[in-house]
Amino acid sequence: MFKSSWTRRDFIRIGTAAAATGAATKFTLLEPKPLWASSRPVGPNDTVRFASIGTGVRGCELLEASLRVPGIECVAVCDLYDSRHTAAQEAVKKNVPATRNYKEILDRKDVDAVFIAVTDHQHRKVFVDACAAGKDVYCEKPMSHTVEDGLAMVDAAQKGNRIVQVGSQRVSSILYSHAKEIYNSGKIGDVYAIEAYWDRNSESGAWVYPIPPDASEQTIDWNAFLDGAPKRPFSPERFFRWRCFTDYGEGLAGDLFVHLISGIHFITGTSTVARRAQSTGGLFRWKDGREFPDLIETFYDYTNFRVYLRCNLNNDQGEFIGFYGTKGSLIIKGSTLTFTGQDTRPEPESYSILGWPLQLRTQYLTKWQAEHPLPKPLNFNAEEEVETFGVPTGYSDLADHEANFFNSVRSRKKTVENEEFGNNAAIGCHLANYSYFKQTAAIWDSAGRKIKG
Ligand SMILES: NC(=O)c1ccc[n+]([C@@H]2O[C@H](COP(=O)([O-])OP(=O)(O)OC[C@H]3O[C@@H](n4cnc5c(N)ncnc54)[C@H](O)[C@@H]3O)[C@@H](O)[C@H]2O)c1
C-alpha cells in the first residue's frame, strides 16, 4: 500500500522532474526513529501480549509487521474462515492457537491488547466487547461503519479507560511527520486549499479479489459474518469482496478517503469533522453488482480551509495530497514529500498598467521603486525553493504505527490516532457517502452528533 523503498527509477523520475522545472532538487532521505520508545533495552516484563481478531489480508499484514516491533508477542488469532487461521500462523511464524470465536480471545487473561481487522460492519461489536473485557485496541480503519457505531465506540473506549489506536498508518509515517513540521513552520504560509486523490486502475484496485477454491459454508462461518447485517444465502462474493456492498463496507470513502482525511487532519492538526460535504461521482465501469461508485469526488468545508478529495478506479494516478499555501506548496506523492516555495517578494505591477499611457506608467514605476529601494533580484532562486524528502528502503510506516500503539499501551499515554481522531476521520467518509447517495449537501450537526441533509 505505502510504497516503502527507493528504486533507481524513482531517483531518475525526481531528476527528470527537477530538470523540467530548471531546478536542482535537493533530496533528503528521512531517518526512521527507533521502534522501542524507552532508552532501556527490552526486558521480559515489557512484553505486551496480543491477539489478532480478523486475519484476512490486513490481519496478516499486521501480524507480519508485528515481527519487527520489539517487546510484543502474538498469543492467539481469530477468524471466521479456517484457511485464514493457517495464513495467520504463517504470517506470525508461530503455531499460535486459532479460533472462529473472538469471545474466546477476549476471555484469555494473557491477552493485553487486540488487533481488530475484521470487516467494517463488525468493528463496533468486537471493539465494544474488547473494551468491556479490559483489552487495549488497535482497530483498523475506517473506525466505524456508521456514525452511530463510531459514537458508541468512543464511549466504550473512554468508559473502559482503554488505549485505542485506529489503523491509518500514515499518521505514524516519518514522511507525514516531516510534512507536519514543514506545515507548522509556516514555510508554506496560510493554507486555504487542500487537494488529495487516490486513483487505481486494476481489478485488485477495484476489489475484484479472487475467491479461494476452498471457500464454502463448511470453511466459513457465514452466519457470524452476517451478524449486524441482513440475512442472505451464502455468497463468497460478498464475503471476499465486501467493500463493494453497503451492508459491510463504505466503498471508496471508507477504504481510501479515510487515509487521505487522516493524513490531512494529522498534518493540519485538525481535531474536528468537516462542517459540510458535497459529493458527486458515479458507477461507470465496474458494473459487477456492486453498490458503490467507482468514481467519487467530494468537497469538504472546514473552518479554515477547503478540501477536495477524489478516488477514481478508472485511471492510475496513485496517491497524492497537496497543501497549497500563500508562500508555497507541500506535495505528498506516493512515498515522497516535496516542498516548493513561491516567489512572494513584492514586485511592481506590469500587466494591468499596459493599458496606461506611458507617462502614467513611468510615474507609477518611479514611485514604486522609491517605495521599494531594494530591487528584486532578476532571478528567483528556484534551486533553494524545491526540496524533496523520501523514506529509506524497507521503511514501514505500519511497523512505526504498531510500535506507537504498543508504546502507548505501556505508557498509558493516549495515541495520536486515538478513538476521537479515528471517529472524526470516519465521519468524514460517512459525510461523503451520505451526500453521494442522497444527492444533497451533507451537514455535520456537531451538537446533535449526526448528519443532516
Ligand atoms: N490500514 C490499511 O491500510 C488497511 C488495508 C487493508 C484493510 N484495512 C482494513 O482492515 C479490515 C479488514 O480488511 P481486509 O482487507 O483484511 O478484509 P478481509 O476480507 O481480507 O478480512 C476480513 C476478515 O475478517 C473476518 N471477520 C469478520 N467478522 C469477524 C468476526 N466477528 N470474528 C472474527 N473474524 C471476523 C473475516 O472472516 C475475514 O477473514 C477492514 O476494516 C479494512 O478497511 C486497512
Side-chain angles (χ1 to χ4, degrees):
M1 287 260 130
F2 190 87
K3 197 159 154 266
S4 61
S5 61
W6 274 92
T7 61
R8 191 169 162 270
R9 201 190 296 165
D10 291 320
F11 280 105
I12 290 169
R13 212 179 285 135
I14 284 190
T16 317
T21 61
T25 303
K26 193 173 149 207
F27 179 79
T28 309
L29 211 50
L30 298 169
E31 202 169 316
K33 57 183 173 41
L35 294 176
W36 175 247
S38 167
S39 50
R40 301 178 280 104
V42 187
N45 293 339
D46 296 317
T47 301
V48 177
R49 292 184 176 78
F50 73 97
S52 187
I53 303 175
T55 61
V57 181
R58 188 55 174 176
C60 286
E61 273 186 306
L62 287 168
L63 289 172
E64 231 175 86
S66 75
L67 298 177
R68 301 166 69 142
V69 180
I72 64 173
E73 185 191 355
C74 177
V75 294
V77 292
C78 169
D79 200 278
L80 302 179
Y81 167 34
D82 297 340
S83 289
R84 286 185 162 160
H85 297 165
T86 315
Q89 289 159 341
E90 287 168 1
V92 80
K93 297 190 169 50
K94 206 170 140 194
N95 206 12
V96 287
T99 171
R100 283 183 173 190
N101 179 0
Y102 75 88
K103 298 230 164 108
E104 285 175 19
I105 300 271
L106 300 183
D107 285 342
R108 287 179 69 131
K109 297 278 174 289
D110 62 343
V111 170
D112 306 307
V114 288
F115 289 159
I116 298 179
V118 299
T119 39
D120 299 351
H121 74 299
Q122 301 255 353
H123 282 188
R124 173 186 181 163
K125 184 182 62 167
V126 182
F127 184 107
V128 169
D129 288 349
C131 290
K135 311 299 181 195
D136 293 324
V137 174
Y138 179 119
C139 178
E140 263 311 334
K141 55 60 29 184
M143 185 167 121
S144 63
H145 183 48
T146 63
V147 170
E148 297 71 35
D149 283 2
L151 297 174
M153 292 161 84
V154 171
D155 288 348
Q158 296 183 349
K159 204 190 287 162
N161 201 19
R162 298 332 307 154
I163 292 293
V164 168
Q165 183 173 271
V166 177
S168 193
Q169 64 278 7
R170 283 152 187 75
V171 168
S172 293
S173 156
I174 51 174
L175 201 71
Y176 281 62
S177 277
H178 199 67
K180 187 174 176 66
E181 257 174 53
I182 296 177
Y183 187 94
N184 287 343
S185 73
K187 225 173 148 182
I188 59 168
D190 295 323
V191 175
Y192 306 122
I194 301 173
E195 165 191 29
Y197 57 79
W198 195 337
D199 296 343
R200 313 193 287 206
N201 191 6
S202 65
E203 289 209 330
S204 179
W207 317 310
V208 188
Y209 299 147
I211 312 288
D214 71 345
S216 74
E217 277 188 278
Q218 281 67 54
T219 56
I220 293 172
D221 187 342
W222 175 245
N223 278 332
F225 176 78
L226 288 184
D227 196 6
K231 297 286 165 246
R232 290 176 193 278
F234 179 63
S235 161
E237 285 75 20
R238 283 181 169 263
F239 185 81
F240 290 99
R241 300 174 187 166
W242 55 267
R243 285 171 175 80
C244 301
F245 302 99
T246 53
D247 287 343
Y248 328 109
E250 310 75 30
L252 283 167
D255 201 30
L256 302 181
F257 270 17
V258 68
H259 285 303
L260 304 173
I261 295 172
S262 299
I264 291 167
H265 282 191
F266 172 67
I267 291 166
T268 59
T270 300
S271 56
T272 55
V273 176
R275 291 199 313 255
R276 188 170 73 140
Q278 178 88 50
S279 301
T280 184
L283 178 59
F284 295 100
R285 177 183 176 200
W286 301 96
K287 295 181 179 174
D288 51 6
R290 71 183 56 203
E291 295 162 346
F292 283 104
D294 54 26
L295 167 68
I296 182 164
E297 295 174 276
T298 305
F299 285 99
Y300 289 97
D301 289 7
Y302 287 84
T303 306
N304 296 321
F305 49 76
R306 300 291 173 265
V307 172
Y308 161 75
L309 296 191
R310 180 189 76 221
C311 282
N312 182 13
L313 296 180
N314 308 303
N315 181 275
D316 186 8
Q317 287 301 314
E319 188 183 347
F320 174 101
I321 308 184
F323 300 87
Y324 304 111
T326 52
K327 292 187 189 161
S329 311
L330 201 55
I331 304 292
I332 298 175
K333 177 99 177 91
S335 56
T336 62
L337 166 70
T338 302
F339 160 76
T340 309
Q342 296 200 337
D343 190 356
T344 56
R345 288 165 297 177
E347 58 181 335
E349 175 63 19
S350 57
Y351 175 67
S352 69
I353 60 170
L354 287 176
W356 295 10
L358 181 62
Q359 193 205 344
L360 291 184
R361 263 191 274 162
T362 313
Q363 200 180 319
Y364 163 78
L365 289 172
T366 311
K367 183 164 178 276
W368 195 94
Q369 294 297 354
E371 286 168 355
H372 301 84
L374 289 176
K376 181 180 161 80
L378 279 182
N379 291 315
F380 173 61
N381 190 351
E383 287 182 19
E384 284 174 11
E385 296 301 328
V386 182
E387 228 182 324
T388 294
F389 304 86
V391 297
T393 303
Y395 171 69
S396 162
D397 53 5
L398 183 54
D400 263 351
H401 204 43
E402 290 186 17
N404 285 344
F405 170 67
F406 287 109
N407 287 325
S408 284
V409 168
R410 285 188 201 91
S411 70
R412 309 312 294 170
K413 269 182 28 201
K414 251 176 137 56
T415 61
V416 174
E417 198 179 346
N418 55 50
E419 64 280 2
E420 277 148 353
F421 185 116
N423 188 39
N424 287 340
I427 291 172
C429 308
H430 304 320
L431 285 169
N433 280 335
Y434 182 103
S435 172
Y436 175 80
F437 285 112
K438 295 202 185 283
Q439 300 192 1
T440 179
I443 316 280
W444 177 241
D445 171 5
S446 56
R449 305 210 300 170
K450 61 178 193 298
I451 301 177
K452 292 193 304 201

